Amino acid sequence: MSCHVRAENKPDSIMKFTTLFRSLPVPGCWTAAAIILLQSGSGFAADLGRVSINDDWRFIKNDPADMTNSLRYPRAPRVARGRGGDSTNAPAPVPVPAVTSGIAAYILPTGNSFIADPAKRYPKPDGNYGGDISYVNPSFDDSGWRKLDLPHDFGIEGAFIPPGQSGSDGGTGRRPFFGVAWYRKDLSIPKADAGKQFYLDLDGAMSYATVWCNGQIVGGWPYGYSSWRVDLTPMIKPGAKNVLAIRLDNPPNSSRWYPGGGIYRSVWLTKTAPVHVSEWGTYITTPEVSANAATVNIQVQSENDSKTDASVTLTTAIYPVDALGRLDRSAAPVGGADGAVVIKAGGTATNSQSLRLANPKLWSPKAPALYAAITTLTQNGNVLDSYETRFGIRTVKYDPNAGLLVNGEHFKLNGVCDHHDLGALGTALNYRALQRQLEILHDMGCNAIRTSHNPPAPELLDMADQMGFLVLDEAFDTWGRNKTANDYGGGNLFNVWHEQDLRALIRRDRNHPCVVLWSIGNEVAEQSQGAGSTIAQELAAIVHSEDPTRPVTSACSDGNAMNNGFSTLLDAMGFNYKPDNYIRFHERYTNEFFFSTESASTISSRGEYFFPVIGPGFGTVNGRGRNGGAAFTSQDDTTHQMSSYDLYYPGWASSPDHEFFAQDHSLAAAGEFVWTGFDYIGEPTPWGNSRDPSRSSYFGIVDLAGFPKDRFYLYQAHWRPDYPMAHILPHWTWPERAADSKADPAKAAQITPVHVYTSGDEAELFLNGKSLGRKKKVFETPNNSRLNGEPAYRIRWDDVAYEPGELKVVAYKNGKQWATDTMKTAGEASQLVLKPDRSTIAGDGHDISFVAMTVVDKNGTAVPRSKNLIHFSVTGPGEIVATDNGDATELSSFQDTDRKAFNGLALAIVKAKRGQKGVITVTATSEGLATATTTIKLQ
Ligand code: GAL
């Protein structure tokens, strides 16, 4: 995190700033007190800084009927190329559209400070484009528009577009995320603020945003994943009402996954003196680090928007940040530096300071210690600006033979890729929802996240810093060529915006200790051009110029990319689904650090199991079939569910076990990023076509509602070897698989294979007390494996004849008992159970509790295949904002309070009403079942 903060207006108090940061879980700058200060304008400098303006916006879809202008941003429509990574037959690059007129001409100058060559910056056109549109007029009456708080995703609201209907695209989750949307907000700026600078900072708006302030066009930004700023200063009228109008124009066919639509990340108003630190103006590096001392280099870019040169003092004070993300600025700083700086009128100045910190606390995934640098500009005794930058002190070594070393300690990248949606909440950033995702991943032993395939919300990096995740920060899914008609590629955006977007990403994120790699692209068509890819060269050079401390990678799906020279344009080679290439690659490119940018893509539906199960060996997705002589069923094409034995994957992908094997047999391989940690909206492979009903992916280790699938435990077993755990699958309630001598004497008990995921090395399985054998994890030779041997990272009993009762596993490690798990046959569904993930939440209108509902029998055993319809309701100061069950085929609106259980589970997401206190009571009812209630207290 880096942002302007508030300081006291006394030079001798520089070291004693009053902290206005609220304590965790929400870091930085989110304070109601701060907003009041802004509105009351209590004196120069004391009320400068950045405040959230997320609350109280007005919203409407579509342009006004009276609009005569075309506000269309020029896009070059293209024919979709299908799946990424298939670089053969890629269409030719698209020419850059003319940007000398129309809306683009007014938006492009917004990115000027991210274009290195001044000659390539865009002139600001005269005139007031769109100024005659009623919605931008400050006196327009928007009281009829919907009132809402940001972040907001309009695409997640209401019904799914039914399969078969126009716009119903499985790839984007059958959601209406596209179209024009307008947002308006009144800003009250006190008279005393005359002479100050005002910036509107958006963490992300989807997409093609244009901003007007008081009826005047200000600028905008098209790429929906970038964070950006516009300067409102010339339009602001201190002492009067000021009106913001923001228009988004989110194109259809613009994504391979659900992009969401709307101002889906936070919006801030930053107020500074004319002399201030630039946007993302600090860059902190720690070139020398030891246990005794660290050198901290701080580069600060300041700007002077006044008409006279400014001589100021630039001071840095370093404070430790505690485990809850707080810093105590009343304590003495642990390091500091100051110096005199002159900034020319209308110009910028970049200054560097270097300081030594004794006995630094180092940041690492195991102990993520953080510091904050407070940069202060003072002039004649007045504090002009105070800017906080969080950073960590660590070394990272990218060793081509040994993988990733943080402070000299080896960390295998046990990572996941994730898209940005938060399940039923859509893409609207919610701090707690994201934090919950990271907590679940952390519990699994995941230590790394790839922000596939775009810049993440800044909050993700703040959390990753604090929780100790390593981040692969990715910029683009397409370069010169598109994957879908209106995506980023080619003439749509890449050709004119990639430099601005890439520099903005790196300047925003380069102080985060969690970020260890930059990815310039995912499965881009240009990987087939090998060392001749001029785009790869240019992008890598941009990254190096903004941050020479971290390597550049790109996710390569083309097996050829390792032979054709493409990998040599990168500092680190990223393999998508090529576990069998690691050893050969390392032999050939002995000096190249490499890892798997994307692995597995195994697909499953939580709680679904189909028989027969292939064994021994691994299958691919092709429904019912024979593989190497063994019959198997991977999926049910009627219910559109995938079996959860974690053996099935599309043709380009592999099982988790296969990737584990390859990683374990190449110590040089730095690790993997599994596709994906969580299910996401869209891309429901293998049922993505327009007739199929599915809405969300099957790739997740965790389902869309946040319920772990079996695979969670396979990864946990491998990634947390010291954590005693065992997990049995499948569930053990299969009345139709039992022998039934009364009804049908001929019917034998059916073979129901049992797999156990354990961090132990051996396990014994018992069915109703009878041992079915004690087995070790062993190497097997599956018929379809591209490797010679593939270890069973699971222990399997393939010939268990089903019998109701109790299935119990006792796992061993080094001969000693290590962990157990039990699966009991459930009776009839009888009652509901509710469990909130947190029973006390903040009454701030943003905090939420995730309430899990389980259908159980009369003994409290979960009924694993129950699909009962549940009705959720609340009383008290809260509301149910969404429900879900993790079923990829569920097409009832996410806002419905009636939700069918999916294999025993459903979820209600409960939000507190802003500014209220008291207790929310959540109730779940279902016909014929005993009701459940639970309570959530507001703090
Ligand atoms: C990859 C691609 C991902 C996702 C995945 C599904 O090739 O990079 O975005 O589509 O396949 O397996």
Side-chain angles (χ1 to χ4, degrees):
M1 178 192 70
S2 50
C3 66
H4 297 269
V5 291
R6 283 132 185 276
E8 290 175 32
N9 187 24
K10 291 193 200 106
D12 58 357
S13 69
I14 290 171
M15 303 305 179
K16 299 185 198 133
F17 299 124
T18 316
T19 173
L20 282 172
F21 286 89
R22 59 172 273 183
S23 58
L24 276 181
V26 182
C29 311
W30 294 57
T31 141
I35 294 170
I36 292 160
L37 273 175
L38 174 80
Q39 283 166 350
S40 63
S42 56
F44 193 69
D47 64 344
L48 297 176
R50 185 176 88 141
V51 292
S52 165
I53 51 165
N54 280 337
D55 292 340
D56 301 326
W57 287 74
R58 295 281 178 173
F59 166 79
I60 199 164
K61 278 286 306 250
N62 300 321
D63 283 321
D66 61 358
M67 199 173 99
T68 49
N69 318 47
S70 163
L71 294 185
R72 262 183 67 88
Y73 189 100
R75 282 190 289 270
R78 297 211 39 79
V79 179
R81 302 178 41 233
R83 264 195 93 249
D86 171 14
S87 54
T88 50
N89 306 320
V94 181
V96 181
V99 287
T100 48
S101 62
I103 189 79
Y106 289 81
I107 291 177
L108 278 160
T110 309
N112 276 349
S113 48
F114 303 96
I115 299 174
D117 177 358
K120 291 191 175 153
R121 295 185 187 144
Y122 294 89
K124 254 199 147 95
D126 294 334
N128 183 26
Y129 204 83
D132 55 339
I133 300 169
S134 55
Y135 288 178
V136 314
N137 189 327
S139 52
F140 176 79
D141 177 11
D142 61 17
S143 59
W145 292 18
R146 188 169 140 204
K147 203 172 165 197
L148 50 73
D149 296 339
L150 305 179
H152 171 236
D153 170 15
F154 63 76
I156 204 66
E157 295 168 352
F160 283 82
I161 306 171
Q165 215 173 78
S166 140
S168 185
D169 167 27
T172 47
R174 308 185 194 288
R175 300 288 335 156
F177 66 86
F178 38 82
V180 168
W182 285 85
Y183 294 82
R184 281 172 54 103
K185 181 173 175 66
D186 293 353
L187 293 177
S188 152
I189 307 285
K191 222 180 181 141
D193 278 348
K196 292 172 190 169
Q197 294 291 120
F198 299 90
Y199 300 100
L200 180 69
D201 293 333
L202 288 97
D203 289 348
M206 191 64 72
S207 60
Y208 291 88
T210 314
V211 179
W212 289 261
C213 179
N214 294 335
Q216 299 294 310
I217 191 159
V218 190
W221 202 284
Y223 189 30
Y225 295 105
S226 280
S227 296
W228 48 280
R229 153 177 288 192
V230 285
D231 183 0
L232 302 178
T233 314
M235 291 88 191
I236 288 286
K237 296 186 181 132
K241 186 177 96 167
N242 292 271
V243 183
L244 287 176
I246 301 179
R247 178 183 186 267
L248 309 180
D249 182 2
N250 208 21
N253 305 319
S254 50
S255 183
R256 297 187 299 113
W257 57 90
Y258 175 67
I263 305 181
Y264 72 108
R265 290 183 184 158
S266 287
V267 179
W268 312 87
L269 184 67
T270 297
K271 185 165 52 157
T272 71
V275 176
H276 58 95
V277 175
S278 303
E279 181 186 26
W280 305 315
T282 54
Y283 178 36
I284 301 186
T285 51
T286 54
E288 287 159 38
V289 177
S290 74
N292 304 333
T295 303
V296 180
N297 288 346
I298 305 169
Q299 183 186 297
V300 180
Q301 184 186 301
S302 324
E303 65 192 59
N304 178 357
D305 291 305
S306 77
K307 296 208 162 44
T308 51
D309 295 355
S311 296
V312 299
T313 306
L314 169 67
T315 309
T316 299
I318 310 254
Y319 296 86
V321 173
D322 74 13
L324 290 175
R326 297 170 303 200
L327 64 154
D328 179 6
R329 275 186 266 170
S330 63
V334 292
D338 56 22
V341 171
V342 176
I343 318 162
K344 293 251 172 257
T348 62
T350 301
N351 301 86
S352 295
Q353 296 180 328
S354 187
L355 51 95
R356 296 277 286 171
L357 282 192
N359 306 318
K361 283 201 178 130
L362 303 190
W363 186 96
S364 91
K366 284 185 189 157
L370 291 173
Y371 288 91
I374 306 295
T375 304
T376 309
L377 299 177
T378 50
Q379 188 181 42
N380 303 329
N382 279 330
V383 175
L384 300 181
D385 197 7
S386 176
Y387 190 90
E388 177 178 327
T389 311
R390 296 209 171 182
F391 68 101
I393 299 173
R394 88 282 191 271
T395 61
V396 184
K397 190 170 174 206
Y398 305 86
D399 189 322
N401 295 305
L404 191 88
L405 302 149
V406 181
N407 307 323
E409 184 180 354
H410 177 247
F411 286 91
K412 194 95 173 171
L413 291 163
N414 295 333
V416 299
C417 303
D418 267 330
H419 278 311
H420 65 311
D421 74 62
L422 297 166
L425 297 171
T427 59
L429 191 276
N430 178 283
Y431 190 89
R432 173 57 202 160
L434 186 57
Q435 186 183 49
R436 170 184 180 247
Q437 286 198 340
L438 298 194
E439 284 171 0
I440 292 169
L441 294 173
H442 206 263
D443 183 36
M444 183 169 72
C446 169
N447 65 9
I449 291 161
R450 172 178 178 221
T451 68
S452 42
H453 302 298
N454 45 259
E459 288 87 345
L460 184 137
L461 300 179
D462 292 338
M463 285 181 221
D465 280 348
Q466 270 176 249
M467 296 173 76
F469 283 96
L470 302 161
V471 173
L472 166 54
D473 204 343
E474 186 153 87
F476 307 122
D477 190 44
T478 46
W479 294 352
R481 294 166 185 171
N482 311 54
K483 293 179 183 173
T484 58
N486 295 321
D487 67 17
Y488 190 84
N492 289 336
L493 285 178
F494 183 87
N495 293 351
V496 288
W497 277 96
H498 65 269
E499 182 182 358
Q500 298 92 310
D501 283 318
L502 189 54
R503 287 190 196 277
L505 169 71
I506 293 169
R507 280 186 215 167
R508 189 194 71 172
D509 294 350
R510 65 190 172 178
N511 292 317
H512 286 277
C514 63
V515 176
V516 290
L517 286 147
W518 302 111
S519 165
I520 51 178
N522 173 61
E523 300 190 346
V524 291
E526 288 81 352
Q527 53 185 315
S528 65
Q529 296 170 346
S533 168
T534 49
I535 294 185
Q537 291 166 20
E538 188 209 340
L539 297 178
I542 290 174
V543 176
H544 292 150
S545 72
E546 295 290 340
D547 176 29
T549 73
R550 297 172 177 91
V552 174
T553 191
S554 185
C556 299
S557 51
D558 188 334
N560 235 346
M562 74 176 234
N563 299 315
N564 65 11
F566 189 75
S567 78
T568 63
L569 304 179
L570 310 168
D571 307 312
M573 174 62 176
F575 284 102
N576 281 13
Y577 313 105
K578 298 286 173 294
D580 302 341
N581 286 5
Y582 301 158
I583 292 172
R584 269 184 293 137
F585 178 79
H586 184 54
E587 281 166 4
R588 177 162 180 182
Y589 298 100
T590 48
N591 289 324
E592 241 194 83
F593 177 85
F594 72 97
F595 63 106
S596 170
T597 20
E598 218 170 291
S599 62
S601 265
T602 300
I603 41 186
S604 61
S605 307
R606 177 181 51 73
E608 297 283 327
Y609 306 91
F610 305 124
F611 306 95
V613 177
I614 192 172
F618 296 88
T620 53
V621 177
N622 54 2
R624 218 166 264 281
R626 302 191 74 78
N627 198 323
F632 70 100
T633 307
S634 57
Q635 68 213 52
D636 182 332
D637 286 315
T638 315
T639 60
H640 302 96
Q641 302 296 354
M642 285 300 309
S643 179
S644 212
Y645 273 94
D646 300 330
L647 295 170
Y648 309 113
Y649 45 84
W652 59 87
S654 76
S655 66
D657 312 55
H658 189 144
E659 183 67 34
F660 291 163
F661 178 81
Q663 291 284 340
D664 286 354
H665 287 76
S666 170
L667 292 179
E672 63 173 315
F673 289 87
V674 180
W675 191 267
T676 48
F678 280 74
D679 273 332
Y680 50 95
I681 304 173
E683 217 181 15
T685 307
W687 294 294
N689 93 37
S690 67
R691 301 178 312 277
D692 294 327
S694 304
R695 59 160 206 201
S696 50
S697 80
Y698 300 78
F699 292 115
I701 298 170
V702 181
D703 77 16
L704 198 73
F707 299 124
K709 302 182 189 170
D710 292 303
R711 240 180 311 146
F712 177 93
Y713 301 97
L714 182 55
Y715 284 100
Q716 190 179 57
H718 192 58
W719 288 350
R720 293 183 67 184
D722 299 329
Y723 174 64
M725 54 75 60
H727 173 81
I728 294 176
L729 69 131
H731 63 75
W732 212 241
T733 305
W734 299 104
E736 75 278 23
R737 303 185 71 75
D740 187 347
S741 53
K742 272 193 209 136
D744 178 3
K747 187 183 166 205
Q750 319 250 310
I751 296 300
T752 307
V754 175
H755 292 197
V756 166
Y757 301 154
T758 176
S759 49
D761 50 25
E762 203 179 346
E764 186 165 14
L765 186 69
F766 299 90
L767 178 54
N768 293 326
K770 188 173 151 251
S771 174
L772 300 183
R774 182 162 162 167
K775 298 191 180 197
K776 289 195 160 131
K777 282 184 183 165
V778 286
F779 284 76
E780 294 169 353
T781 309
N783 299 318
N784 70 326
S785 171
R786 285 159 286 173
L787 290 163
N788 290 332
E790 189 160 10
Y793 284 86
R794 52 184 90 195
I795 304 179
R796 306 160 58 144
W797 287 260
D798 285 323
D799 49 5
V800 180
Y802 179 76
E803 183 183 288
E806 186 188 271
L807 194 61
K808 181 176 178 182
V809 71
V810 180
Y812 297 86
K813 191 157 188 156
N814 300 323
K816 294 208 180 86
Q817 188 171 323
W818 177 249
T820 64
D821 190 28
T822 305
M823 204 57 95
K824 281 189 185 150
T825 303
E828 291 293 304
S830 144
Q831 43 189 329
L832 307 179
V833 174
L834 284 180
K835 194 164 178 255
D837 72 333
R838 289 184 312 147
S839 47
T840 303
I841 62 174
D844 61 359
H846 295 280
D847 202 3
I848 49 186
S849 183
F850 289 85
V851 183
M853 185 293 312
T854 312
V855 180
V856 300
D857 69 7
K858 64 179 189 325
N859 302 317
T861 301
V863 182
R865 282 187 286 176
S866 47
K867 306 271 188 304
N868 308 58
L869 181 65
I870 314 295
H871 176 69
F872 290 104
S873 59
V874 289
T875 56
E879 54 179 330
I880 295 171
V881 286
T883 62
D884 192 15
N885 55 16
D887 176 357
T889 70
E890 172 71 70
L891 290 184
S892 90
S893 150
F894 285 121
Q895 292 86 44
D896 281 355
T897 47
D898 283 350
R899 177 72 51 198
K900 270 208 291 207
F902 178 58
N903 293 332
L905 300 175
L907 177 79
I909 305 176
V910 178
K911 188 183 267 186
K913 288 198 175 142
R914 174 145 49 104
Q916 299 205 13
K917 288 208 180 87
V919 173
I920 306 169
T921 301
V922 186
T923 304
T925 56
S926 183
E927 211 183 310
L929 304 182
T931 295
T933 62
T934 190
T935 55
I936 300 161
K937 209 169 126 195
L938 299 198
Q939 226 166 26

